[in-house]
Amino acid sequence: MLEHAWIIPALPIAAAALVGLLGRRINRFAGWITSAAIAGSLLLALRLMWDVLAHPGVKEITLPWLQTAGGLMIQMGMLIDPLSSVMLVIVTFVSLMVQVYSLGYMAEDEGIGRYFAFLSLFTFSMLGLVLSNNLIFLYMFWELVGLSSYLLIGFWYKKPEAANAAKKAFVVTRFGDMGFLIGILVVGYFLNTFNILALGDAVKAGKLAGGLATAVALLLFCGAMGKSGQFPLHIWLPDAMEGPTPVSALIHAATMVAAGVFMVARLFPLFAASETAMLTVSYIGGFTAIFAATIACVQDDIKRILAYSTLSQLGYMVMALGCGGYTAGMFHLTTHAAFKALLFLAAGSVIHAVHTNDIWKMGGLCRSMGITTAVMLIASLALAGVFPFAGFFSKDEVLVSTFLAGRMDLLFVGLLTALLTSFYIFRMFFVVFAGKPATDKHAHEASWVMTIPMLLLSILAAGLGAATAPFGHFLQASFGAPAMETEYHGRLIPALATLMAVLGFAWAYLVYLQKAVSASLLMRRFLPIYTLLKNKYYIDEMYQWAVQRIMFVVSRALAWFDRNIVDGAVNGVAWLCRLTGDGLSRLQQGRLQTYLIMFVAGVVIIIMVVLASNPTVLAWMK
Amino acid sequence: MTLTLTHYLLASTVLFGVGIYGAFSRRNAIGLLLAIELIMLAVALNFTAASNFLGTAGGQVFAVFVITVAAAEAAVGLALIIAIYRNQKDVDLDKLTLLKW
Amino acid sequence: MSIPYLSIISATPLVAAIIIMLLPRERVTWPRWVALAGAAFSLILSITVVAAYKLAAGGYQFLETHSLLPSLGIQYALGADGMALAMVLLTGIIIFAGVLASWDVKERPQEFFALLLILVSGVFYVFAARDLFLFFLGYELAVLPMYLLIGIWGTGKREYAAMKLTLYLMLGSALMLVGILAMYFAGGAQSFHLDHLRHVQYSRGFQITFFPILFLGFGTLAGFWPFHTWSPDGHASAPTAVSMLHAGVLMKLGAFGIIRIGVEMLPIGAQVWVPYLALFTLVNIVYGSLVAMAQTDLKYVIAYSSVSHMGIVLLGICTLNPIALNGAVMQMFSHGIMTGLFFALVGMVYGRTHTRVIPDMGGLASRMPFLSMAFVVGGLVSLGLPGFSGFVAELLVFLGAFRVYPLLSAVAVTGILFTAIYVLRVVQKMFFGPDKPAFDHVGDANWVEKSCLAILMLVLLGVGIYPSWLVNLINSSIGPLTQMLEVVR
């Protein structure tokens, strides 16, 4: 099976090409074709994981791709180990769920063929990224992931917000990718290889150390920051909500944002080589976690709440990885994929029913949308980290990893974030599903193609926690996984985490369900903080300012410079030539006899010069 | 007193000088043409004198050429002058500055 | 006696041009068919020679030598190595697509196609020439029809643009001629043949004096900053096919000349000068993309983006590193196709909307899905998206350049970010957003246009996914070149 792993990404791209080329003629079947292809990929991925489970270890398959003089050789290849096999399953599973769900959600859209083609392209790019065995191909698929998200976020291109969001997503992640690319260049220069396994060996051999290791790790991390929405490159992710909701589910759960975390895990030895880099990574993750959680507490748009929640959870993962919690980070990625996809699909089902994103215009939906309410509750509990749902176990591992790394400050941040997480998600839950309906419109439960994926995902969101220990052991066999972390059997951290979740739940319950504390009173009391959070710390405005006031001004100044100074010089030379010509042409005043006189004078002068320089003549004259 | 080469050369120089002077100073286009004929003749005289002096026929051949060219030139020149006159009703060179810049 | 492929390729457009001029004037559709046939023939033969080139043997193949002016040592000598073949193939593709793109030229089609083909013939001669005199002759043959093509069939300030472009390129060719003649005389004034000149041991002083002259001469054509301003004006005024050929092929002539004549003949001079010239190419890359960002006329955007992309080519050359040189030639190929695609698209969009001002457009994606798809593809190539040829080229250049000028290439990488910004802005403003009523009646591409664009897109994709075939071809001439550079170092 290992040799045939390439079929896993090949199926979606073939389906995408087929649907894309046949165009609108097969609009009706497009979704079924691509879903079938991805179902095939899922089966193969499961089979692959089975094989890897049977023989854990690292396997590499390479083919030559590009070779030039000067010793450059780039191979294309696959790196199959527990990490990639797990990612393959996550990606194909979530993609399949999203595809099936989309069959219902997007049924009435006229561009449905295009939609499914892009969706499959997205899955293909992510699968390719997961399988890559070298930095160049990692980067290539990395960019393709960015492209697919661009195409999908801007799927409804007639909406200016969607077109803007798509561009923003691409440009902001590209900004991070620039660092990634420079990191790759540095690696290529100093280590002269792009192969991930070879890089691991080089690190072991101590070829990457000190400041160089830090620089490489941080440059590569720039890419992860862009894709995984780490502060300060997080601004694209909330705006990416402009795309269709299933796309958000895909972006937030299995593709795009998972890419950054996966990359850090994949290149873990490179990061682990530098203490400073690890520290920076963990602090950026911790900061993003709490920063995004605070924003999520005051948003009104259901998808934005979830988007900031994603940012915050990604912060958790990155924090765990920075603390050396390799399995913790990856496990949280896995459970998060399940419950966040579920949250988005459920949110999509709500939006589909009530045609608005504003949570204050919903309300009381639990009566009309039983299944959606139930799965949303499961997902919320999982996100909040309530025992025995999946999020509890993975969040616990993340917190433990900070504890084991001895970063008490990060542990504190993590716990605080857990409190906020629980608060904002139940705030949303209560406002949307409990209380009185905000409109008279009667909402309906979604069709079966939409509910079945949600139900399947909710089983995972509820039950994945049972896989904690085997998952950890399985991942140990991955390339670059650090030696087994010290076991932590204490009860304090789980207890604290649960306490935080309960506190957050209680807070949301009191404010939004019981209305024991008035939400508006709270808002007024903390108005400055509220305004700051509501405006997302004005980060977007800062970027806006930087782009408008610095980049565009520089750009316009240079354009002016080019037109007026550089080109002005050119035109100036032309003008000077013309001026000279004009001046000299005054000699041509049209009088025949003047010309004649000049001519004769010229001849005489020439003759005299010739004679005067002739030695015989000179001698004779003397 | 015999006529030596020097005399011929002097005569042709004088002829040339008269021609040049005429060419410089005549206002009338026909006068200019005549002056140019004089210059040509000076050249032709030089050629024949040199031919005689050297005892070869080459110079005389050239003189015939010069006379032919002078005739052709006079024909073309006169034709031009007539054309200009028809066009401008004038052959005063100071007024013919159509080719000015 | 083997078939003189290169002669046939180069002369076919010329013959087609003559046939076109002999056609009866009232048959207005005949010229384009003859032009298409000629272009197709050249293209097919270009593909044939690329396929027939023996990679293992390397070096110059398909050699032809006939004496033209023995007293001056001028020969009609043709021959091509991997790099030249890549360029010949590029020219073949672009002229074929260019004829398709100008299918609907209404004004004097006979003269238009004839001049276009004469120009291409010159370009082919330059790429295939083994004799500097022939090289120069081909160059002039390529530049002069440009004046008429822009002056007669252009738009906007066409006389100004035509004059500016021609004078500028003449200035470049004057510098070039100085360099060529200097090399000829320093080589004993016996032969213009490159093989002869290559074995002349030019003194260090000579090389240091004449390399920059050649570089500037060719660099002007390649859009070297600050001698690039002919390009925006020229491209903006030129008709579609001329823009395609100009940005797609003629700018490559400059870069080709720098490698073939500058670097190959005067290696010591090159090694002395390139660190300084590299700084200018950085300006090209970053400045070009920043200026492109501020433009509102679509053609100006693309012209400045060409300046930026050619900066990458020149940066690659200025490293004298095998990887980056491979990348530079790759970028020449890739940018040629990409910019051909862009200018073809601009012409097609302009033909429908009658405006090139970007803010005036909007919502075109639903009106012209194929054209917008093609434009997005072009944009993606231009911002270096993997899977397309531009990425491979830029990656190679940066990989190589980083070994020579780490800091400088790190800064140059920002150029690709700016490119992403302006490309996506343009795409968004032109194609996305709500429909505009002004464009209610515009349609999508017809079959001729679609095939023109499809060819270009397929090439971009093909090279991007499987670059080996092209890189191996290019590498077969870059390898020996860099070995030679190592020796003289």
Side-chain angles (χ1 to χ4, degrees):
Chain A
M1 180 57 220
L2 293 181
E3 295 74 31
H4 303 297
W6 59 270
I7 303 175
I8 298 175
L11 279 175
I13 191 66
L18 183 72
V19 172
L21 286 180
L22 291 180
R24 294 187 177 206
R25 269 157 289 176
I26 55 155
N27 256 357
R28 280 193 306 137
F29 313 109
W32 295 100
I33 296 173
T34 55
S35 300
I38 290 180
S41 295
L42 174 61
L43 290 178
L44 290 171
L46 285 170
R47 176 70 212 284
L48 183 75
M49 187 154 86
W50 183 257
D51 285 359
V52 177
L53 268 174
H55 310 282
V58 182
K59 197 159 171 15
E60 196 187 16
I61 297 158
T62 55
L63 284 171
W65 186 66
L66 194 64
Q67 223 173 337
T68 71
L72 178 76
M73 165 127 114
I74 302 174
Q75 292 181 317
M76 79 179 150
M78 297 185 295
L79 182 61
I80 297 166
D81 65 348
L83 177 64
S84 53
S85 69
V86 166
M87 283 300 292
L88 286 179
V89 173
I90 298 174
V91 173
T92 47
F93 181 73
V94 175
S95 298
L96 181 63
M97 293 302 111
V98 168
Q99 291 250 358
V100 173
Y101 180 91
S102 301
L103 285 174
Y105 191 87
M106 299 294 286
E108 279 132 48
D109 200 286
E110 56 178 325
I112 188 167
R114 186 164 57 95
Y115 173 79
F116 280 106
F118 289 170
L119 218 50
S120 301
L121 176 68
F122 209 158
T123 307
F124 157 75
S125 321
M126 194 63 199
L127 292 172
L129 189 150
V130 168
L131 280 171
S132 298
N133 76 331
N134 65 64
L135 287 179
I136 303 286
F137 269 76
L138 190 68
Y139 180 79
M140 286 172 67
F141 285 110
W142 185 267
E143 291 291 300
L144 285 180
V145 168
L147 165 71
S148 330
S149 71
Y150 170 76
L151 294 172
L152 280 169
I153 294 169
F155 179 72
W156 287 318
Y157 56 82
K158 287 189 188 172
K159 274 194 345 194
E161 302 85 31
N164 252 329
K167 185 185 67 180
K168 188 169 171 183
F170 198 97
V171 171
V172 172
T173 53
R174 184 104 195 176
F175 187 75
D177 297 350
M178 213 166 66
F180 190 10
L181 183 60
I182 296 175
I184 294 176
L185 296 178
V186 176
V187 168
Y189 178 57
F190 285 103
L191 302 181
N192 212 18
T193 178
F194 300 106
N195 186 298
I196 292 172
L197 297 181
L199 289 178
D201 293 341
V203 171
K204 259 188 219 137
K207 283 189 201 158
L208 197 67
L212 179 62
T214 309
V216 165
L218 289 181
L219 281 169
L220 294 176
F221 186 62
C222 284
M225 279 165 72
K227 282 278 188 293
S228 287
Q230 296 301 297
F231 179 86
L233 297 182
H234 63 282
I235 51 162
W236 64 271
L237 191 60
D239 286 21
M241 295 296 97
E242 295 297 340
T245 309
V247 172
S248 308
L250 194 59
I251 290 180
H252 287 252
T255 55
M256 198 74 176
V257 299
V261 177
F262 170 78
M263 186 258 264
V264 177
R266 179 44 97 212
L267 304 176
F268 199 73
L270 265 65
F271 285 87
S274 162
E275 193 72 23
T276 324
M278 289 292 266
L279 210 62
T280 317
V281 168
S282 64
Y283 278 110
I284 288 178
F287 182 75
T288 309
I290 191 152
F291 165 85
T294 54
I295 299 176
C297 290
V298 298
Q299 296 300 312
D300 300 325
D301 183 320
I302 185 169
K303 288 172 79 178
R304 274 184 191 271
I305 296 176
L306 295 179
Y308 282 105
S309 154
T310 305
L311 288 176
S312 166
Q313 298 300 309
L314 287 166
Y316 262 125
M317 299 171 209
V318 170
M319 179 169 81
L321 288 169
C323 290
Y326 181 85
T327 51
M330 285 314 294
F331 190 50
H332 197 53
L333 175 75
T334 313
T335 60
H336 176 259
F339 64 69
K340 190 49 67 66
L342 182 54
L343 279 169
F344 268 106
L345 294 186
S349 159
V350 168
I351 295 166
H352 203 59
V354 299
H355 300 290
T356 176
N357 285 5
D358 190 339
I359 56 171
W360 304 106
K361 292 185 183 151
M362 304 170 185
L365 291 176
C366 63
R367 279 169 217 110
S368 48
M369 303 183 72
I371 300 176
T372 307
T373 312
V375 297
M376 185 70 107
L377 183 62
I378 293 173
S380 303
L381 289 169
L383 172 64
V386 176
F387 185 82
F389 294 93
F392 168 78
F393 296 93
S394 58
K395 195 174 284 183
D396 183 42
E397 280 207 29
V398 170
L399 294 174
V400 166
S401 72
T402 60
F403 174 75
L404 291 178
R407 310 259 175 78
M408 289 308 149
D409 43 355
L410 286 177
L411 177 63
F412 178 71
V413 166
L415 286 171
L416 200 59
T417 308
L419 172 74
L420 292 170
T421 308
S422 177
F423 169 70
Y424 68 68
I425 196 66
F426 284 109
R427 165 179 177 267
M428 181 201 91
F429 185 80
F430 290 140
V431 171
V432 172
F433 291 99
K436 279 196 275 302
T439 54
D440 315 332
K441 275 190 288 179
H442 194 69
H444 284 286
E445 187 56 80
S447 64
W448 64 271
V449 280
M450 289 166 70
T451 49
I452 285 182
M454 293 199 283
L455 290 173
L456 284 173
L457 280 168
S458 64
I459 295 171
L460 289 183
L464 257 183
T468 316
F471 186 90
H473 283 292
F474 181 45
L475 273 193
Q476 283 304 308
S478 304
F479 159 74
M484 194 65 179
E485 296 130 34
T486 340
E487 298 277 347
Y488 174 82
H489 292 296
R491 299 251 181 271
L492 183 61
I493 290 177
L496 276 176
T498 311
L499 180 68
M500 288 299 158
V502 172
L503 277 178
F505 177 83
W507 180 13
Y509 180 79
L510 284 176
V511 177
Y512 295 100
L513 198 65
Q514 284 298 81
K515 309 223 193 280
V517 187
S518 160
S520 57
L521 187 75
L522 273 180
M523 189 192 95
R524 274 197 302 277
R525 180 71 52 78
F526 298 104
L527 194 60
I529 299 177
Y530 177 80
T531 324
L532 184 67
L533 294 182
K534 191 85 185 167
N535 289 298
K536 309 154 225 160
Y537 296 95
Y538 297 99
I539 304 280
D540 276 283
E541 281 73 12
M542 287 179 208
Y543 273 99
Q544 193 70 20
W545 185 86
V547 168
Q548 292 292 346
R549 296 290 144 144
I550 300 176
M551 199 181 69
F552 282 135
V553 167
V554 168
S555 148
R556 272 193 290 271
L558 283 181
W560 182 89
F561 176 80
D562 195 65
R563 283 284 92 188
N564 295 289
I565 309 295
V566 179
D567 202 36
V570 176
N571 287 335
V573 170
W575 177 80
L576 212 65
C577 288
R578 171 159 294 183
L579 200 70
T580 322
D582 273 354
L584 289 177
S585 74
R586 299 286 147 184
L587 291 175
Q588 308 280 328
Q589 21 71 320
R591 292 189 161 184
L592 209 50
Q593 280 158 326
T594 319
Y595 297 165
L596 196 64
I597 292 171
M598 283 182 185
F599 164 65
V600 172
V603 170
V604 169
I605 289 169
I606 290 172
I607 289 173
M608 281 168 72
V609 168
V610 169
L611 289 181
S613 57
N614 189 323
T616 29
V617 177
L618 277 178
W620 177 77
M621 271 166 62
K622 278 188 188 136
Chain B
M1 181 184 122
T2 50
L3 282 175
T4 60
L5 180 63
T6 318
H7 296 105
Y8 286 108
L9 289 181
L10 275 174
S12 93
T13 307
V14 169
L15 211 51
F16 183 80
V18 171
I20 285 288
Y21 173 75
F24 282 178
S25 60
R26 299 295 298 194
R27 290 283 184 79
N28 194 302
I30 295 176
L32 178 70
L33 217 54
L34 289 173
I36 293 173
E37 290 297 317
L38 278 183
I39 296 171
M40 295 271 210
L41 285 176
V43 173
L45 185 62
N46 249 358
F47 270 123
T48 34
S51 167
N52 188 42
F53 177 71
L54 295 171
T56 54
Q60 301 192 20
V61 173
F62 269 104
V64 175
F65 269 111
V66 170
I67 290 164
T68 320
V69 170
E73 180 250 310
V76 174
L78 281 171
L80 277 173
I81 289 166
I82 289 168
I84 290 169
Y85 180 76
R86 282 191 182 149
N87 202 341
Q88 306 278 318
K89 299 281 169 227
D90 203 349
V91 288
D92 187 339
L93 287 174
D94 282 351
K95 290 179 189 160
L96 292 178
T97 55
L98 280 177
L99 292 177
K100 182 157 101 176
W101 53 79
Chain C
M1 168 89 194
S2 55
I3 307 166
Y5 279 116
L6 293 173
S7 283
I8 302 176
I9 292 176
S10 314
T12 302
L14 210 56
V15 173
I18 293 167
I19 296 175
I20 286 173
M21 288 317 289
L22 295 177
L23 291 176
R25 196 153 272 282
E26 60 278 9
R27 304 284 183 186
V28 286
T29 60
W30 285 14
R32 64 191 192 193
W33 283 106
V34 177
L36 188 68
F41 192 64
S42 283
L43 175 59
I44 291 167
L45 280 183
S46 316
I47 297 170
T48 315
V49 286
V50 168
Y53 182 77
K54 293 180 195 68
L55 213 54
Y60 288 91
Q61 298 179 13
F62 313 108
L63 294 170
E64 297 167 35
T65 314
H66 306 284
S67 204
L68 271 187
L69 259 180
S71 55
L72 292 176
I74 296 173
Q75 284 173 309
Y76 175 88
L78 299 181
D81 62 346
M83 177 171 81
L85 284 179
M87 292 297 109
V88 166
L89 181 63
L90 169 71
T91 314
I93 296 170
I94 291 289
I95 180 60
F96 187 72
V99 171
L100 286 178
S102 33
W103 203 243
D104 290 324
V105 167
K106 295 276 184 298
E107 199 187 344
R108 303 198 193 188
Q110 230 171 344
E111 287 85 351
F112 179 82
F113 284 110
L115 284 170
L116 201 62
L117 290 169
I118 292 173
L119 189 165
V120 169
S121 187
V123 173
F124 276 127
Y125 274 118
V126 172
F127 287 136
R130 294 293 296 132
D131 183 280
L132 269 186
F133 190 85
L134 194 64
F135 182 99
F136 190 74
L137 207 66
Y139 178 88
E140 296 293 308
L141 195 61
V143 169
L144 289 179
M146 200 64 90
Y147 177 76
L148 294 173
L149 282 167
I150 296 176
I152 297 174
W153 289 272
T155 51
K157 298 185 294 179
R158 59 188 183 195
E159 282 95 358
Y160 167 76
M163 185 65 89
K164 182 169 179 175
L165 184 139
T166 315
L167 287 182
Y168 227 132
L169 298 191
M170 283 293 145
L171 178 78
S173 78
L175 287 174
M176 234 158 84
L177 189 62
V178 170
I180 289 175
L181 289 179
M183 283 164 65
Y184 170 71
F185 286 113
Q190 290 163 354
S191 171
F192 279 101
H193 200 288
L194 284 173
D195 284 342
H196 169 80
L197 296 178
R198 198 155 38 162
H199 294 114
V200 177
Q201 301 287 325
Y202 293 111
S203 72
R204 190 182 162 81
F206 178 87
Q207 298 207 13
I208 292 173
T209 318
F210 284 98
F211 180 79
I213 291 177
L214 277 174
F215 190 95
L216 288 185
F218 286 118
T220 302
L221 190 57
F224 179 69
W225 191 88
F227 304 105
H228 64 283
T229 56
W230 57 269
S231 139
D233 286 325
H235 288 152
S237 301
T240 302
V242 177
S243 292
M244 286 172 75
L245 272 169
H246 202 287
V249 180
L250 259 94
M251 286 178 97
K252 312 300 171 292
L253 277 186
F256 180 82
I258 294 175
I259 301 180
R260 171 100 326 147
I261 298 174
V263 176
E264 206 169 311
M265 299 292 151
L266 306 173
I268 299 172
Q271 278 162 359
V272 170
W273 277 98
V274 287
Y276 311 105
L277 296 168
L279 275 175
F280 284 87
T281 68
L282 179 67
V283 176
N284 255 67
I285 298 172
V286 178
Y287 171 100
S289 51
L290 276 170
V291 175
M293 210 182 282
Q295 303 300 317
T296 51
D297 183 317
L298 190 51
K299 274 200 165 183
Y300 275 88
V301 174
I302 296 167
Y304 277 109
S305 98
S306 288
V307 171
S308 171
H309 283 111
M310 287 308 290
I312 293 180
V313 171
L314 294 171
L315 173 65
I317 296 172
C318 283
T319 58
L320 300 183
N321 169 294
I323 302 172
L325 274 170
N326 267 308
V329 183
M330 269 298 271
Q331 174 78 345
M332 280 154 71
F333 187 88
S334 156
H335 176 255
I337 304 278
M338 175 193 90
T339 203
L341 176 67
F342 261 139
F343 279 116
L345 277 165
V346 174
M348 291 170 196
V349 171
Y350 180 73
R352 289 171 170 75
T353 62
H354 303 290
T355 178
R356 284 195 326 242
V357 182
I358 295 165
D360 290 356
M361 296 188 242
L364 294 176
S366 51
R367 303 281 172 229
M368 31 180 103
F370 189 88
L371 290 182
S372 28
M373 191 268 286
F375 199 96
V376 171
V377 168
L380 294 175
V381 183
S382 141
L383 56 80
L385 193 88
F388 295 109
S389 54
F391 169 73
V392 186
E394 287 173 16
L395 181 74
L396 287 176
V397 170
F398 285 133
L399 280 176
F402 198 81
R403 295 175 187 213
V404 189
Y405 317 112
L407 196 64
L408 198 143
S409 4
V411 179
V413 173
T414 58
I416 66 173
L417 176 72
F418 297 135
T419 309
I421 293 175
Y422 71 76
V423 165
L424 294 182
R425 265 166 60 91
V426 168
V427 167
Q428 183 192 354
K429 285 193 175 156
M430 281 175 65
F431 296 106
F432 298 160
D435 294 344
K436 283 199 176 178
F439 304 127
D440 273 349
H441 303 292
V442 298
D444 204 2
N446 59 33
W447 278 106
V448 177
E449 291 168 331
K450 275 187 185 172
S451 44
C452 161
L453 300 175
I455 291 168
L456 297 173
M457 284 193 285
L458 282 178
V459 174
L460 291 171
L461 196 63
V463 176
I465 291 176
Y466 187 64
S468 269
W469 64 273
L470 191 60
V471 172
N472 288 344
L473 191 67
I474 295 166
N475 195 39
S476 72
S477 50
I478 295 297
L481 172 65
T482 44
Q483 272 168 21
M484 186 270 289
L485 283 169
E486 284 300 318
V487 172
V488 296
R489 194 179 290 265

